[in-house]
Amino acid sequence: MEVFGLWLAAFFTLGIISFLYKDNPWYKFSEAVFIGISAGYWFVVSFWDNLYAKFYLGVTANDDYMLFVGAVLGAMMILRLAPNIGWISRWPLAFVVGAISGFYLMNYFSSNVMKQVQNSVIPLFSADYGQSMFTESFGTIAGKIVIAAGTFTGLIYFFFSKEHKGAFGGAAKVGIWVIMITFGASFGYTVMSRMSLLIGRMDFLFGQWLGMIK
Amino acid sequence: MDCTGKSQKYTYIAILTLFLSLLLIISSANAVNSEVLVEDTTSAFIPNAPTYVTATDYKYDRGESAIVKWQLSSDDNSTGKITGYEIFRSEADADNFVSIGVVLPGENSFRDKSTENGVSYIYGVVTLYNGRTSQMVLSEPITPGTEIVNWNLLNLFIIGLLIAGSVIFFITHAKRGKKLFIRKIAGLEAIDEAIGRATEMGRPILFIPGINDMDDVQTIAGITLLGRVAKVVADYDIKINMPVARSIVMTVGRETIKEAYVSAGRPDAYSDDMVHYITDEQFGYVAAVDGIMVREKPATCFYLGAFFAESLILAETGNSVGAIQIAGTAMPAQLPFFVAACDYTLIGEELFAASAYLSNEPKQLGSLKGQDVGKFMAMMAIALGVFGATIAEAWGGSFFIWLDEFMHRLFTITN
Amino acid sequence: MKKQVPLTITFIVGVVLILSVFFPPVETWGEDFSLFFDIIAVFAFFLGGGNLIRVHTERIAKKKKDWGFSIITILGFLIMLAAGLFKLWNPGDISADVAATGSLFQLLYDWMFNPLGATMYSLLAFYVASASYRAFRAKNRDATILLIAAFIILLGRTPLGMYATGWIPESFSVLQIPNLAIWVMTSPNLAGQRAIMIGIALGVVAMSLRLILGVERTYLGMDID
Amino acid sequence: MNKKELVAVIIIVALSLIFYFGIKQPIVFSSTVSYIITALIGLVLLYIFIRTVGGKIFGRRTVFLFVGIAVVLPFFMTIKQPIKSSPEVKSLYDAVLALKPDSKVLVSFDYDPPSAPELQPMAESFFMLCFERDLKLIIMGLWPQGPQQAEMALQRAFLEPDIAAKNLKYGVDYVNLGFQTGNEFVIQRMGSSFKSMFQTDYYGTPYDDIPLIRNVTNFSNIDFVFNLSAGYPGTVEWVQVAVDRYGVKLGAGNTAVQAPQMYPYLRAGQLVGLLGGLNGAAEFEKATNIIGKGTKFMVSQSFAHVIVIAFIIIGNAAYFLGEKRREENKPNQTGMNNQPGAN
């Protein structure tokens, strides 16, 4: 049985890779199977984990009747199909958007603004508060200056209320340069991870399936 | 759309003074209640056990944590005779002491985060030296209670209030007809040009709202921009194709486009098939969208929302079919690919500003100004903080030390 | 009724969640509200799944191009549902773990879902290489900076970088490519990430406020009436 | 299916059968053969460079084929690779070493098979290190397939002779709590009680029947948390909730694409260590002197990097020498140069 599974997996792997050559029936078959199976997979995972585990067990096991609010809102979402009272589906949607806005607002603000600003407040020329000056290597001190100046000018680039002209425009230009270095760095890292994925698949084809690799 | 320079300057000066005065109030409040534990360090009767074990309810929580403090044992000195302290806990009436944590020598407090609200506990602390423990010193029984307001987050509340307040201020300010100036965003100016291209070439527009559900603010921003694009699509009757990866996004997308066709006075031209669900699976979705691009060859592609690894496949395939591509996302890892392969890219915050910018309604632009106030405060905090810290390091002026210390505390969240 | 109720729901729920952070007794409401979202999402799945079947059955009925593959998509969807929801061909009975080893659901996952997803993901390596060759041009100063930074990181993370710049003396060791790559990661990259993070967070704050205050209501499908 | 496609499929099926049955033991090139092949790949790159600058832009398929070959051939080569260990990898290794025997380590698997090539080697070498240091492992996952990946990593760790000799018992030395949905809210609720989130473990045994975690109520009984993350939910959520709210000590292994975003957290002390991509896995294997898949894949990884760098150089060289002159007036300017225009 295991061998059959290996060949099936290899069949689909080669089917998807064939898209690189051209859109062909082998690829279309693999694509069709993938769309059907993946839609089914997420439906099942969501059914067992959310509907069964969270809702059904939530109500029966620890009598959390508040969960019915979720079920009612969910049922309203389905009512969109009903011709005349389709507009009722806006209520659960309003609930979702309200909850997400409220939660995200505080979460993003405390972790991304408060924490990051707190960590930007660092002495430039010494390791940390209370240590002597110029003890660190040239690279670290230059790094700290770049961090403080880069964050500052990066924020200037995102400023909406002032035209990027004159000194302000200059600072914004430095800001976009720093942001471009950040994009370059994550581009480099992304290339690395994509290549590892390909290596993983090739290891499957030539290693597990054909057994040609030590 | 130019706001008179003078009133804009006043608003910033007003906000700055408001910002500084409020900060002074907070700092004075914090300085008062930072308890300075003044203890007379009499020698401990029991030579190596810790002394004065006190347990207090941790302020501002749901009664689920308590603070245990003790005076270091006399043997806890550089000779390193002891290896740490162990903390025990038992319910007030029962006598079953359970160990809840061990701390290194030199530490004199421990926060127990697993208490139950309303149950009274007794804590005991012993010193450890290589396996053997000293005699346990007990604390008075305490019952952790719930506090209504979490005063630790006062600074978060004040700063949040300031930013939210400035957003609301600018929205109401705009409602009274004040003109608000917003700088040009290249990516957004290009949207009309990109749609125009689709009308000329008579080829469809492909709109991709990202692959996250409506529980992601980026998807909501994408759908809001769909509202603007759909308006133009409805007016010029351009074919729009919107494959989606989430069911709720499908219903919202249909609602948005139908509304655009209704307000353009052509409800019959709208059909539900413009927005169709593919699959929730990230790469099943990308495979299908790639197929659509290769087969239908859209003139313009919009990628506005949350994207993950598939951003490059979409942008590269769009490139190969020769479409104008406008992308916008707040996912830092994907921005490099959109920036490198698409014609215009809305970077992070610009995606959220886009809907307000395009609407040109004063109310919406007001919220952008509020965002700028937040950035202005962050920039001031970084500049003042770094300046204070560096000078404090160099010459140690007490004002600068206070400034550095203050900036740190202002943006620290204790929980 | 149609317009006011949704907006008031959004406003109340939004404000309650914002304030709940500051009052310990209601601190956990954020968690409970997220439970409701998960349940709503499951119901919405019925809409999505239903639409998938409708679109593909229509394609089969009208014999549109590639209708044969629509049959396969529907079959795949239904088989996966049968294996998952009713746990057919599952060694255990209905109460067994849905992905128990040996169950059809697990086999479909290991033999089809996993290789298809992983291979689709690995196509990116080919696309990145072809995009580097055809699309990523240093057309302007910003693009040049982006590509130079990418260069430094890519070289810094391979032994080639060490060979090429091993000769730089120790005192300027930061200029050796691997150290330079680490410096780029820990300084300019950090500054850029921080600026973007702060920007995005404030964008989210403003967007959330616009939604809660009802200034932004396109998601409800109604324009400013 | 026209004739040409049929022929292609037949060839592929024939080749796979030949390779599958024909070749019994793995192929290994001697080091001389390896260097010859490397030189050959270099020559092909040079050829592409000359032709592209000459004006002939190669099609996408040639690039795809070349990348495929250049990634597969190194599997068979024997080339020694000096791997440099960066500070963030060392700090993770030191953090694990600082843990006393029998300390409890929570490992969260937040990734799925597509990200396995980068994160699975990290999981395997982390497990081996923990078992060698007699640490107790509590495994969980915020992605549905996470716990399955953990099981595979456990089996791989038990193949090591000195770990097998310890005959570690499930439920006493390590436990797998399985997957729980709810993303960052799972972490939030684990802050008050693990049991509320994991009534049973991956095999269905109730929480209280497992000796290892019977008196583990929440994060305050956990000495170290290690999170393997490929996206959302992942390390960002573990930092925002577990570290910022409950003050746990957190180390992380991330796919290379995510690593740059984690440096602000590393610098702020919210992360005590970070493994970035396959390179991070190889460096960690070097630190724990285990030769795993990380090190083996590094040869192909280096070849792949060189190819991407070469293609960027070739593409831009052709652009500056050839295309730029021809398409001086092309209107399509990228969004990056947002020249400040008059309003």
Side-chain angles (χ1 to χ4, degrees), chain D residues 238-261:
Chain D
W238 278 96
V239 166
Q240 282 177 354
V241 181
V243 176
D244 285 355
R245 279 209 179 152
Y246 298 108
V248 300
K249 239 182 359 194
L250 178 69
N254 272 254
T255 50
V257 64
Q258 289 232 104
Q261 282 169 258

Side-chain angles (χ1 to χ4, degrees), chain B residues 146-169:
Chain B
T146 321
E147 283 73 38
I148 300 305
V149 176
N150 182 345
W151 291 106
N152 279 343
L153 299 178
L154 183 62
N155 54 350
L156 177 65
F157 182 75
I158 298 276
I159 295 178
L161 201 65
L162 259 175
I163 295 183
S166 56
V167 169
I168 294 163
F169 164 76

Side-chain angles (χ1 to χ4, degrees), chain B residues 303-314:
Chain B
Y303 313 116
L304 300 166
F307 287 88
F308 295 86
E310 72 289 347
S311 59
L312 178 68
I313 301 184
L314 296 172

Side-chain angles (χ1 to χ4, degrees), chain A residues 21-22 49 54 157 192 197, chain D residues 5 61 114 179 181 305 338:
Chain A
Y21 176 65
K22 123 161 135 51
D49 290 334
K54 286 216 172 111
Y157 170 76
M192 279 168 43
L197 297 174
Chain D
E5 280 165 5
R61 291 186 195 123
F179 162 68
T181 112
H305 285 202
N338 300 347

